[in-house]
Amino acid sequence: LMVDGSPNSGRPIPNTFLGAFFEEINHAGAGGLWAELVSNRGFEAGRGSGSPSSIYPWRVIGNESLISVSTDLTSCFERNKMALRMEVFCNGPKSCPPAGVGVSNPGYWGMNIEKGKKYKLVMYVKVKASGPVDLQVSLTGSVHRVNMASIISFSVMTDNNILKWIKLEGILESKATNHNSNLQITTTTRAILWLDQVSLMPLDTYKGHGFRMDLFKMVADLKPKFLRFPGGCFVEGYYLKNGFKWKNTIGAWEQRPGHYGDVWKYWTDDGFGFFEMLQVAEDLGALPIWVFNNGMSIGEEVNMSALSPFIQDALDGIEFAKGSPSSKWGSVRASMGHPEPFDFRFVAVGNENCFPHHEVHYQEKYFKFYDAIKRAYPEIRIISNCDGSKTPLNHPADLIDFHIYPNNSMDMFSKYSVFDKTSRSGPKVFVSEYAVVKDDARNGTLLAALAEAAFLIGLERNSDIVHMVCYAPLFINKNGRYSWIPDAIAFNSHESYGTPSYWVQQLFSESSGAIYLKSTLQTSSNSIVASAIGYRSSQDSKTYLRVKVVNFGSEIEKLRITINGLSSNVQQSRSTKTVLTSSNKMDENSFSQPNKVVPRKSALENASNNMVVSISPYSVTSFDLLV
Ligand code: AHR
């Protein structure tokens, strides 16, 4: 491999090159990055299952002779009227069990409660009783009635026979660790009680913003320069009524109606709403990229005559994100604690709506959004769903969305050159979803990741036209019903690990804003691809030359790497080699073996301007040479 390291021969890779794509899929947000521990906190989730009275996963504590539990539409929250009604028949220690009767919530397949940590409880209660009603809120382990934390006790009175909702708050401090805990709300008083909007949040979240620490860190470690959100098909819905309506996801969390994501088939209370997604992007140091619903879903679309509200929604959403705090929607953002506009520069008009059967209607609608947005916000960069990689687009766009999910790794490997012939005069390319799926990808194999690494090397090579790239999907809660595999980050209530595809992305995290260097690969093997970049390390502020080599074959490859044109020689000290490989190309990571396929870094003893290296079978290697 001959690399031209002369200072002026390279070209900059866009600063926005590598990003992340957050979609509410596989419980990525609800039961994932969003740290809320109570599942179905407003008792509304039944609206999604078609049985409004379903309170799943809440469970009743006490038998039918002691307590009767149902739902009714008496909540104080106008947009989510469902409340839990508990009629308690027992009274006092003689007829109630010692720990009382009530309900418990297991969270999203078990709450992760850790010793010494604090959890904030908020809940709304209404009571009908002849005297004060005692309420105990506690945390139990998997075995009921074994308390793990301080208990909060409330005494609630009916006020002059007027039924009134009151807000109760408290802090639970855990005395033990249990990854499979429950929140329990019990009483020993005969009464009728209503509960609604019961929330339990760890105090320990990223900057107190509600993001689960370990999952936030895993994304941050990818150094994403942008965050695309909130989907994916989640934006569209199968039916339009189930698409993502950003205005329903902002403001006080208690008042958000929540919605059923009918593509990935679960309820979300939208605690992780539009504001929180903008906030997580900011916290990651990533530019937000909002994919908005353009009046098209997977199964239906609005007529052109009914498009105006969708256009207004998009304009209002942009104002919410970047408008002045005195503007209509900017003031709502300010009231949520973010008076400063977000650094908001990109929108995508819909998701995957320019498929052939939709194409004409998509473009008709696209023009309307494009005109309205460019008129109000000429600086906003607009992303079209139509593929301009082979033939030029017939409409204006700043970027085009490109999605690619080959069914096997060889196919992805061969996509290394997919943008070589793309017109350089049209819009830039945003590869906003890519991954190998199915056959040999399974839950995320080494082989699939290597093919993706080769594809990314091809994107780096074409980064004069390909300005952005992110893998999909980002997250999976392994306890949930699988919506989509493979994914980059797998987790349960308390653990997380990266799939090999995640680790490949880390190997490319220095590429954003780096200098792409010319290199020529001379080899008889058709299993090798390579690239070279120059970058300044954020760790030691020194300049490195990074050569990445993918070996997609079963043989060791010997490669001579020659670097010409450097003003100084490669220094052996601090030069390293990082290899991602495993003993079997189909190896995956798992909770029991999270580090089976992870990059291993070692000193590069023979680092020099002219060195011979061995490239392991089925591997990607990053040589980081201090220059
Ligand atoms: O990444 C999973 C899904 O794949 C996305 O929701 C959709 O855009 C694509 O079809």
Side-chain angles (χ1 to χ4, degrees):
L1 179 80
M2 306 274 280
V3 180
D4 183 351
S6 52
N8 300 321
S9 78
R11 104 180 119 66
I13 298 176
N15 278 326
T16 51
F17 187 64
L18 189 99
F21 167 39
F22 175 87
E23 172 162 21
E24 184 58 86
I25 181 173
N26 301 322
H27 284 276
L33 183 59
W34 186 240
E36 171 63 68
L37 291 167
V38 179
S39 173
N40 192 12
R41 68 184 175 191
F43 307 100
E44 305 285 331
R47 274 171 32 211
S49 68
S51 158
S53 61
S54 162
I55 60 165
Y56 180 85
W58 289 88
R59 286 183 294 237
V60 180
I61 303 170
N63 65 36
E64 282 164 13
S65 67
L66 303 173
I67 181 170
S68 160
V69 172
S70 56
T71 54
D72 62 22
L73 294 170
T74 60
S75 170
C76 51
F77 300 111
E78 281 310 313
R79 296 192 298 169
N80 46 32
K81 292 301 288 180
M82 194 70 75
L84 185 84
R85 182 181 184 277
M86 303 196 287
E87 185 158 0
V88 176
F89 308 120
C90 65
N91 198 23
K94 283 204 186 119
S95 58
C96 287
V101 294
V103 285
S104 77
N105 188 289
Y108 296 89
W109 306 282
M111 295 180 182
N112 179 35
I113 300 297
E114 292 177 0
K115 186 174 177 182
K117 295 224 166 136
K118 293 183 176 162
Y119 301 85
K120 178 164 186 202
L121 169 87
V122 178
M123 63 180 192
Y124 292 79
V125 179
K126 187 171 71 172
V127 297
K128 187 175 178 190
S130 52
V133 177
D134 71 291
L135 264 185
Q136 271 82 45
V137 182
S138 56
L139 288 166
T140 66
S142 3
V143 181
H144 269 306
R145 317 252 154 94
V146 178
N147 278 320
M148 304 184 32
S150 51
I151 297 178
I152 314 181
S153 296
F154 298 103
S155 178
V156 191
M157 291 273 281
T158 309
D159 189 4
N160 286 329
N161 275 334
I162 301 169
L163 294 184
K164 222 166 86 186
W165 283 95
I166 53 169
K167 181 179 185 180
L168 300 177
E169 292 177 272
I171 300 285
L172 287 162
E173 183 164 359
S174 184
K175 298 178 286 193
T177 292
N178 189 312
H179 309 306
N180 195 14
S181 304
N182 298 274
L183 175 75
Q184 197 164 279
I185 304 167
T186 54
T187 181
T188 54
T189 315
R190 177 178 299 141
I192 303 178
L193 295 100
W194 287 263
L195 293 181
D196 201 10
Q197 298 302 340
V198 182
S199 164
L200 188 71
M201 276 292 246
L203 288 191
D204 189 19
T205 62
Y206 187 77
K207 285 191 175 175
H209 288 163
F211 312 133
R212 184 174 139 177
M213 287 289 207
D214 59 331
L215 300 184
F216 180 90
K217 180 173 183 310
M218 285 204 71
V219 185
D221 286 350
L222 294 176
K223 303 186 186 164
K225 296 295 187 242
F226 63 84
L227 185 74
R228 176 180 184 246
F229 64 80
C233 297
F234 180 70
V235 171
E236 304 170 80
Y238 189 81
Y239 295 108
L240 271 171
K241 68 171 188 199
N242 294 320
F244 183 78
K245 299 187 180 60
W246 73 269
K247 284 179 182 161
N248 286 347
T249 74
I250 57 163
W253 59 267
E254 300 95 319
Q255 290 171 21
R256 301 183 190 178
H259 81 286
Y260 178 64
D262 64 350
V263 180
W264 308 125
K265 304 217 177 317
Y266 60 91
W267 176 264
T268 159
D269 56 32
D270 288 323
F272 192 51
F274 189 44
F275 176 89
E276 289 75 17
M277 294 185 201
L278 290 163
Q279 184 64 66
V280 79
E282 182 178 89
D283 288 349
L284 288 164
L287 291 169
I289 299 188
W290 179 35
V291 183
F292 62 71
N293 188 301
N294 60 340
M296 301 178 83
S297 73
I298 293 178
E300 56 184 8
E301 62 177 303
V302 295
N303 290 331
M304 288 303 284
S305 58
L307 194 63
S308 308
F310 288 86
I311 296 175
Q312 195 53 52
D313 255 21
L315 293 171
D316 292 345
I318 298 171
E319 184 176 286
F320 178 85
K322 66 171 286 185
S324 112
S326 57
S327 63
K328 178 174 171 200
W329 290 101
S331 70
V332 181
R333 180 198 67 238
S335 72
M336 294 180 73
H338 203 291
E340 284 301 310
F342 286 103
D343 187 358
F344 186 88
R345 308 184 197 176
F346 299 91
V347 292
V349 182
N351 174 66
E352 289 187 348
N353 297 130
C354 189
F355 281 138
H357 64 285
H358 264 153
E359 203 165 340
V360 176
H361 297 176
Y362 177 79
Q363 286 169 22
E364 241 183 307
K365 292 189 173 71
Y366 174 91
F367 275 118
K368 298 279 179 201
F369 284 103
Y370 185 90
D371 284 350
I373 294 169
K374 284 286 182 189
R375 214 172 311 124
Y377 301 98
E379 71 285 8
I380 289 282
R381 302 186 67 196
I382 300 184
I383 303 163
S384 163
N385 288 178
C386 300
D387 179 4
S389 66
K390 289 181 206 74
T391 46
L393 281 193
N394 61 2
H395 55 266
D398 295 299
L399 292 121
I400 57 143
D401 251 340
F402 185 92
H403 295 184
I404 180 169
Y405 290 107
N407 280 353
N408 67 69
S409 301
M410 193 35 133
D411 195 8
M412 181 61 115
F413 184 81
S414 69
K415 295 290 184 302
Y416 163 78
S417 50
V418 72
F419 295 107
D420 288 6
K421 298 211 168 77
T422 300
S423 157
R424 267 36 190 178
S425 58
K428 306 298 180 211
V429 175
F430 177 15
V431 178
S432 63
E433 297 185 23
Y434 76 89
V436 182
V437 295
K438 298 196 178 150
D439 295 1
D440 48 16
R442 302 180 188 173
N443 292 290
T445 56
L446 171 66
L447 190 68
L450 296 177
E452 289 156 9
F455 175 66
L456 287 174
I457 283 183
L459 299 191
E460 262 185 359
R461 199 160 49 85
N462 283 294
S463 56
D464 57 323
I465 186 78
V466 180
H467 277 201
M468 296 172 147
V469 53
C470 51
Y471 178 91
L474 183 59
F475 284 123
I476 184 165
N477 184 327
K478 284 294 218 182
N479 288 318
R481 170 188 165 277
Y482 286 4
S483 299
W484 190 289
I485 51 169
D487 308 272
I489 300 167
F491 61 89
N492 57 23
S493 73
H494 62 291
E495 298 163 298
S496 48
Y497 64 84
T499 59
S501 298
Y502 170 85
W503 293 110
V504 160
Q505 292 174 68
Q506 276 218 7
L507 292 181
F508 284 78
S509 62
E510 297 294 352
S511 299
S512 308
I515 301 293
Y516 183 77
L517 300 171
K518 274 191 210 138
S519 61
T520 319
L521 182 64
Q522 286 174 338
T523 170
S524 56
S525 162
N526 48 18
S527 304
I528 300 269
V529 291
S531 71
I533 61 167
Y535 71 98
R536 184 171 284 271
S537 160
S538 51
Q539 274 169 12
D540 62 9
S541 300
K542 294 189 185 301
T543 303
Y544 287 81
L545 201 146
R546 172 174 284 183
V547 175
K548 294 189 285 294
V549 186
V550 174
N551 182 357
F552 200 61
S554 56
E555 305 294 326
I556 292 189
E557 298 284 347
K558 287 252 185 253
L559 197 66
R560 176 177 293 280
I561 300 178
T562 309
I563 298 151
N564 299 312
L566 285 178
S567 49
S568 58
N569 279 337
V570 165
Q571 294 174 43
Q572 194 258 313
S573 76
R574 290 192 194 229
S575 288
T576 57
K577 163 178 155 173
T578 306
V579 189
L580 181 73
T581 190
S582 194
S583 50
N584 187 314
K585 64 183 181 185
M586 301 311 282
D587 277 352
E588 300 180 354
N589 291 331
S590 59
F591 290 120
S592 54
Q593 287 184 291
N595 297 325
K596 191 170 186 177
V597 193
V598 294
R600 316 234 179 242
K601 191 171 180 172
S602 57
L604 187 59
E605 312 290 350
N606 65 337
S608 80
N609 296 35
N610 186 2
M611 58 190 190
V612 175
V613 292
S614 296
I615 311 289
S616 309
Y618 297 114
S619 69
V620 50
T621 307
S622 168
F623 298 96
D624 286 81
L625 311 171
L626 180 63
V627 292

